[in-house]
Amino acid sequence: NVYGYPSVTGAVILSNYLKQDWLSFMKVRANYAEVGSSTGNYRLQNTYNKFGPFQGMGVYYIPSTLANPDLKPERSKEVELGLEMQFFKNRLGFDIAAYKTKTLNQIINLPVSNSTGYSTVTINAGQIDNKGIEVQLNGTPVKSKAFTWDINVNWAKNENKLVSLHPDAKVLQLASYQGGVTLNAIEGEAYGVIRGTDYVYLDGQKVVDPNTGRYLRTAESNHEIGNITPDWTGGVRNTFTFGENISMGFLIDVQHGGDTFSTDMYYGLSTGLYAETAVGDYRTAGLVHPGVNPNGQVNTTPTIGADAYGNVDGYRRMPNARFVYDASYIKLREANITYKLPKRIIENTFLEEAKISFVGRNLWIIDKNLPHADPEAGTGGGLGSRGNSIGVLPTTRDFGVNLTFKF
C-alpha cells in the first residue's frame, strides 16, 4: 500500500564564473531518480466479476487472470546528464541531455496452461533498459524591431532492450493481428518485435516456385519481420514576429524508422481494392516475380491461375513480411497566426493584454511510406494498436480559435 522512491538533482551555472562576451548562459546539470508505479484494481486478490442479470438473478464468474498477493510495484531508475548553453545574447544555443533508465519488476500477465483454470497470471517479471539522447537547438537568424525569425529544432534517439523476462518465458506476446502476425517482447532484443511468415531466401534472393511462379513462404510464423520502435524522432518550429502585434509560425514533425503491419494492404492487394493492383493484365496473364528458383537460376515463370481472389498479391499469395511497411513520416503538425491588440487600445481598460490566435493542427502529411493510411493512426488504444494498420479512420485536420486575456 505504501512505497517510497528517492530522487536527487543538482546544477551549476558556469556562466556566473566564466565571464565572456559571447557566452550568455551555461549550465551543467545531473540527476538521479527512482519512480514507482502501481497496478490496477483487483490484481492482488481473486474476486468475482459481474456478468449481468439473467432472469432477474445476478450472474458472476471467475476472471481468467490469477491475482498475485505478493505483487510489487514497478520501479524505474534513471540517471541523466545535461548541458545547456546560450551564445551571443541568446541568439544561438542548445540543450543536450543523455539518459539511461532501468525498469524493474514490471507487472505483466504471463500466459499459463488453461488446465489451471486460468489463462494468465499477474507477476513481476522482466527488466527493460533504455538509453538515449535528446537535443534542442535554438537560433534567431533575424532580429529587429520590424521582424524577428526564431527557429527551434529538437531531435531524440532512444534505444531499448528487454534484458530479461522470466526464467520460464523468453517471449511475451503483446498483441496478435490477423494472418498470424504477433507483436512481442523478446528477451535480448528491442521492445516491440513484429513476427510472422517471411520469404524464403537463397543467397539473399527471394525464392520463387518454378511451377506456380509464386514466392515461397516460410512454414513458421515466428520470423522477425519488423519492430515498432523508431530510430529517431525530431521536429522544427519556425516563429515569425512582425512588429509588436502579429506573429505566425509552423511546426514540422518527423519520425524516422519503426514498422507497422498493414492488414489493409494484406486484404486490399488480394481483392483488387487498391490502385497498386491495376498493373497491366496480370490478373489474367500473370506476372514474373523477381527472384530465383530453388536451383539458383533467375525466375522466368509467370504466376498462374487467375481466380476470384487474385493470383499475384495479397494475403493468399504473399508472406506476412510483404505487408510490413516503414512507419516513417514528415508532417506539418501545426500552423498558427496570432494578433495582439495594441496597448494603446486597452491602456484605459482592466486588461493588460489581449490577443487572438488561429491554429490548425495535423494539416499535411508531407511524406510517408505507408500506403493509404496515416502511420500514426491506430485502432483502439494502448500498445496493441501500434504496429498494425487496419481499417483506421482518416485522421482529421483540426482548426481552432484561441482568445487570451490577461488582467
Side-chain angles (χ1 to χ4, degrees):
N1 293 328
V2 177
Y3 52 90
Y5 40 90
S7 66
V8 60
T9 184
V12 178
I13 301 178
L14 296 177
S15 54
N16 290 340
Y17 309 99
L18 302 175
K19 300 294 184 178
Q20 300 290 333
D21 293 338
W22 52 269
L23 182 62
S24 304
F25 182 78
M26 182 178 181
K27 180 172 75 173
V28 177
R29 64 182 185 274
N31 72 276
Y32 172 81
E34 293 188 18
V35 178
S37 179
S38 296
T39 184
N41 299 328
Y42 309 113
R43 301 186 75 175
L44 302 181
Q45 292 183 337
N46 294 319
T47 59
Y48 291 98
N49 289 345
K50 184 178 180 180
F51 184 74
F54 177 74
Q55 295 184 351
M57 300 293 291
V59 179
Y60 294 83
Y61 67 95
I62 298 175
S64 59
T65 299
L66 178 64
N68 183 355
D70 299 320
L71 210 59
K72 301 177 182 179
E74 294 181 359
R75 187 172 293 271
S76 293
K77 302 178 180 181
E78 179 173 324
V79 176
E80 180 179 323
L81 301 174
L83 173 64
E84 182 179 353
M85 298 186 71
Q86 295 290 326
F87 309 96
F88 312 117
K89 298 182 180 180
N90 298 319
R91 292 284 297 271
L92 180 66
F94 68 84
D95 187 340
I96 183 170
Y99 63 88
K100 185 173 184 179
T101 305
K102 180 183 295 185
T103 304
L104 306 166
N105 291 329
Q106 293 187 100
I107 300 173
I108 64 174
N109 290 334
L110 189 70
V112 295
S113 171
N114 289 335
S115 63
T116 62
Y118 299 90
S119 60
T120 58
V121 57
T122 303
I123 63 169
N124 290 111
Q127 173 186 329
I128 289 184
D129 288 355
N130 283 272
K131 61 181 180 179
I133 185 170
E134 298 175 346
V135 180
Q136 294 185 6
L137 305 174
N138 68 277
T140 306
V142 180
K143 186 174 184 179
S144 67
K145 291 184 178 180
F147 176 71
T148 301
W149 174 20
D150 294 312
I151 300 177
N152 288 277
V153 179
N154 67 81
W155 181 86
K157 180 178 178 62
N158 179 77
E159 295 180 359
N160 67 69
K161 182 180 181 180
L162 180 60
V163 178
S164 62
L165 185 56
H166 190 270
D168 299 325
K170 303 302 180 184
V171 179
L172 176 64
Q173 182 175 305
L174 306 172
S176 61
Y177 312 135
Q178 296 183 43
V181 178
T182 57
L183 182 65
N184 306 272
I186 301 177
E187 189 172 280
E189 300 192 31
Y191 194 73
V193 175
I194 302 174
R195 279 183 161 186
T197 58
D198 200 354
Y199 295 96
V200 174
Y201 290 93
L202 179 64
D203 296 330
Q205 300 265 6
K206 297 175 183 176
V207 179
V208 180
D209 186 337
N211 298 315
T212 65
R214 298 168 184 154
Y215 284 119
L216 296 179
R217 292 176 284 186
T218 58
E220 306 82 13
S221 59
N222 61 352
H223 292 262
E224 297 180 16
I225 56 178
N227 193 293
I228 65 174
T229 303
D231 298 329
W232 56 267
T233 59
V236 180
R237 180 182 291 276
N238 284 270
T239 303
F240 308 96
T241 304
F242 302 88
E244 297 181 354
N245 305 111
I246 299 177
S247 65
M248 58 188 299
F250 63 91
L251 170 64
I252 301 292
D253 260 359
V254 180
Q255 174 177 299
H256 179 72
D259 299 308
T260 187
F261 175 76
S262 176
T263 309
D264 299 325
M265 299 296 286
Y266 179 75
Y267 288 119
L269 292 177
S270 177
T271 58
L273 179 64
Y274 292 126
E276 286 87 343
T277 62
V279 180
D281 58 352
Y282 75 70
R283 289 192 177 276
T284 56
L287 182 71
V288 178
H289 286 311
V292 297
N293 297 142
N295 60 9
Q297 295 181 351
V298 176
N299 175 56
T300 58
T301 305
T303 54
I304 64 170
D307 54 39
Y309 297 97
N311 66 319
V312 173
D313 212 337
Y315 74 100
R316 290 173 58 86
R317 300 293 177 246
M318 292 289 186
N320 299 139
R322 162 68 178 88
F323 312 103
V324 174
Y325 293 87
D326 179 9
S328 301
Y329 62 78
I330 302 175
K331 292 186 175 184
L332 176 58
R333 181 71 70 185
E334 180 183 301
N336 62 81
I337 183 169
T338 300
Y339 176 73
K340 183 168 64 175
L341 290 179
K343 291 184 179 180
R344 57 182 173 79
I345 296 180
I346 60 174
E347 61 182 357
N348 295 323
T349 68
F350 59 90
L351 295 175
E352 291 187 4
E353 183 179 277
K355 59 183 179 181
I356 180 172
S357 300
F358 298 93
V359 182
R361 292 186 57 81
N362 297 320
L363 299 176
W364 180 23
I365 302 178
I366 300 171
D367 185 61
K368 65 184 179 73
N369 298 310
L370 176 65
H372 310 298
D374 185 341
E376 283 190 298
T379 304
L383 181 62
S385 66
R386 296 178 59 188
N388 185 26
S389 177
I390 174 172
V392 295
L393 293 174
T395 48
T396 59
R397 296 183 179 92
D398 301 323
F399 299 92
V401 179
N402 294 330
L403 297 175
T404 303
F405 301 99
K406 292 184 179 181
F407 304 96

